[in-house]
């Protein structure tokens, strides 16, 4: 019935953040900034694309934030792309290079990139979903030869909400990347397609049996994107997504992120559709 | 390990002896109910208590607990380490079973040091219940009416004496040097056996099915209309989770001193029954309906925890049923889920 307890008290507390110094801040959207962080000497985040950290500001609190940089470009630093949404993110947006915050992590399960190698990749980020997906996209581009086609179908509310415009331009110029952009509402600066992200899919031909799709975006988007992807004949195990939930601890204790029996911070946030389709609380 | 006997008359000495090196907490009367609180002398403790409002889990997982303290001058935060050596004297077997679950939860994968630090400094002295504590309890149905291990010492009331099952060296150490303690004789063992045999029929079985069927019953009850019915009645007040010995969900928050020079990060009990528990920053609530939250609660108690940790998430203490103003209870809920299935089978057979 009961098992002897391990000696665990010599380990550092899982609630103690490590100091990380802001090396650079740049705006990448109307409400979004990318922060580059440096960890103390000798430490590296050693993350997988799709994992997150708990970002901590003493006196304010903590929030889960996906790691936006790819492990292939870490160089002792990592990047978070943060939208100003409330208390913690609001204070973070006032910080500058040289300021220090805390991080715990990396936490959660990332995307299983080893299973994606050799496949055609279809990335479908919506809005802020590009922030976490950028980590995987850049990892794939940095080992481009290991993958088949790379297709990116990105939708945002309006042209001003398209994130990482410099990177979008570079991707657009590459002959080995097929980039499709759309916005829900256009404006005078916009000459591209107008419509929700799913309007891009009819234009994209895929070889369903050899394609892995990875989609990250707001909850409402998933239903429609999933319908399109399944309609194209992709298998449920080859469709991956990231599920956002309220999280307070990041380590499978506090209960907030539970999706039926699964803790999103432990079993996810990256899931294949096959893993979650039978869970009533997933989508 | 071994079986000993302490005369009840030795209780004052025993408490005094334990208090020399650590805090002793136990059940004591308060405003017509019982609560776990510090025991300064034998006159304060009531080991023959029915149940307590809040379970003794609060000594391992306090309602509010500081995780970090810090200065707002850029220096590193410090981890709060305030666990006190404590003897929990007189916890009932349901509450002991609940701590087995919490041990697994807080030790698994990422070790939760605040819990483990308190756990390492706590000695658990449980006591056998000889009569049902209240009409709402259903420990016998949940298999928590007794214990075989997991305690440091386990007491059985033998009238003038306590029979003492010694579970661990830590438990044995509590008895070192105490006058009046003796090894149990064959006679004492017979007394215990008789008391155990006599106690069993006093406790009713309140589930209408065997509890080992509970996880599978729930797995076919996800779409039951009962959840919406419970959702209509539930007040989302969170009393049920607040008094539960196996609930451990929490919120984390920061608090800055008025001087704005220092602060702390603490955790505080939270509840899946509260409206905003699963709301994310853009306002989307993943469990907006009370019915969905009740379903989540009863699935955690009867299935999810079993799947994850191999132990049921409910120990049948009955506290939530006692606390709920609209009479939502695990027994009624699970029996109700079981009933239509059985009737359906009967009809199909007829
Ligand atoms: C795995 C994961 C990855 C994420 N990745 C990113 C990312 O890469 N970039 C990014 O910008 N965001 C990301 N997020 C979202 C981010 O965590 C939230 O935006 C963040 O928690 C907001 O924190 P805050 O303190 O700034 O906001 P808060 O002050 O917590 O408030 C945000 C909003 O929620 C409401 N709110 C907050 N608390 C409550 C409550 N108790 N009850 C009711 N309403 C409440 C507030 O009213 C406010 O409108 C991610 C989330 C998860 C789970
Ligand atoms: S105590 Fe009763 S009314 Fe309150 S949240 Fe629990 S079930 Fe609902
Ligand atoms: S669910 Fe109710 S009966 Fe079961 S352990 Fe919790 S408080 Fe006790």
């Amino acid at each position: 019935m009961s098992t002897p307890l391990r000696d665990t008290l010599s380990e550092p507390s899982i609630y103690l953040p490590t100091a990380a110094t802001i090396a650079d801040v740049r705006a990448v959207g109307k409400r979004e900034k990318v922060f580059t962080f440096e960890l103390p000497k000798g430490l590296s985040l050693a993350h997988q694309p799709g994992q997150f950290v708990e970002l901590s500001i003493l006196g304010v609190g903590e929030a889960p934030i996906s790691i936006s940089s790819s492990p292939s470009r870490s160089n002792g630093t990592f990047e978070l792309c943060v939208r100003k949404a409330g208390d913690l993110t609001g204070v973070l947006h006032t910080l500058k290079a040289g300021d220090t915050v805390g991080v715990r992590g990396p936490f959660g399960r990332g995307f299983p990139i080893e299973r994606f190698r050799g496949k055609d990749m279809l990335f479908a980020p919506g809005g802020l979903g590009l922030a976490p997906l950028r980590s995987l996209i850049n990892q794939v581009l940095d080992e481009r030869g290991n993958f088949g086609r790379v297709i990116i179908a990105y939708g945002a509310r309006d042209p001003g909400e398209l994130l990482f415009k410099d990177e979008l331009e570079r991707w657009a110029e590459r002959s080995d990347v097929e980039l499709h952009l759309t916005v829900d509402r256009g404006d005078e600066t916009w000459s591209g397609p107008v419509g929700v992200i799913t309007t891009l899919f009819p234009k994209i031909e895929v070889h369903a049996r050899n394609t892995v799709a990875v989609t990250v975006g707001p909850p409402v988007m998933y239903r429609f994107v999933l319908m399109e992807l399944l309609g194209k004949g992709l298998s449920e195990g080859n469709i991956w997504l990231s599920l956002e939930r309220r999280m307070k601890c990041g380590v499978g204790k506090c209960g907030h992120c539970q999706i039926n029996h699964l803790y999103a911070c432990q079993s996810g946030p990256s899931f294949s559709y096959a893993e979650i389709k039978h869970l009533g609380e997933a989508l | 390990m071994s079986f000993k006997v302490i005369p009840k008359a030795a209780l004052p000495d025993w408490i005094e002896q334990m208090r020399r090196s650590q805090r002793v907490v136990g059940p004591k009367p308060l405003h017509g109910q019982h609560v776990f609180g510090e025991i300064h002398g034998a006159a304060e403790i009531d080991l023959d208590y029915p149940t307590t409002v809040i379970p003794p889990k609060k000594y391992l997982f306090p309602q509010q607990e500081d995780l970090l303290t810090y200065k707002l001058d850029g220096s590193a935060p410090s981890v709060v380490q305030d666990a006190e050596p404590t003897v929990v004297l007189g916890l009932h077997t349901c509450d002991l079973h609940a701590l087995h679950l919490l041990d697994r939860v807080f030790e698994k994968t990422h070790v939760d040091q605040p819990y483990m630090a308190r756990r390492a400094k706590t000695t658990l002295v449980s006591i056998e219940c000889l009569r049902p504590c209240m009409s709402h309890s259903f420990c016998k149905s949940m298999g928590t009416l007794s214990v075989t291990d997991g305690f440091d010492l386990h007491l059985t009331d033998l009238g003038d004496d306590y029979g003492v099952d010694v579970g661990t060296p830590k438990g044995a150490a509590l008895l070192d040097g105490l006058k009046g303690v003796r090894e149990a004789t064959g006679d004492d063992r017979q007394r215990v056996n008789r008391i155990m045999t006599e106690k069993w029929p006093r406790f009713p079985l309140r589930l209408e099915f065997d509890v080992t069927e509970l996880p599978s019953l729930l797995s076919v009850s996800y779409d039951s209309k009962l959840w919406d019915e419970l959702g209509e009645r539930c007040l989302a007040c969170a009393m049920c989770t607040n008094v539960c010995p196996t609930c451990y969900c929490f919120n984390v928050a920061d608090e800055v001193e008025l001087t704005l020079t220092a602060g702390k990060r603490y955790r505080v009990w939270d509840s899946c029954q509260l409206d905003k528990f699963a709301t994310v920053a853009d306002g989307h609530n993943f469990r907006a309906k009370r019915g969905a939250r009740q379903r989540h609660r009863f699935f955690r108690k009867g299935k999810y925890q079993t799947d994850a940790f191999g132990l049921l998430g409910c120990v049948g203490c009955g506290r939530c049923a006692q606390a709920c103003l609209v009479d939502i209870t695990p027994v009624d809920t699970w029996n109700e889920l079981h009933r239509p299935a059985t009737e359906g089978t009967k009809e199909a057979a007829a």
Side-chain angles (χ1 to χ4, degrees), chain A residues 63-64 66 81-83 85-89 128 244-246, chain B residues 276 281:
Chain A
S66 303
C81 170
V82 182
R83 173 175 289 172
D87 294 345
L88 179 108
T89 51
L128 187 58
E244 183 188 342
R245 287 297 183 277
R246 196 182 187 87
Chain B
K276 295 294 193 294

Side-chain angles (χ1 to χ4, degrees), chain B residues 204-226:
Chain B
L205 274 172
R206 300 193 51 227
L207 283 186
E208 293 165 3
F209 56 93
D210 191 280
V211 72
T212 52
E213 286 176 42
L214 181 57
S216 53
L217 171 66
L218 284 169
S219 57
V220 296
S221 304
Y222 192 78
D223 296 318
S224 167
K225 59 179 182 356
L226 182 62

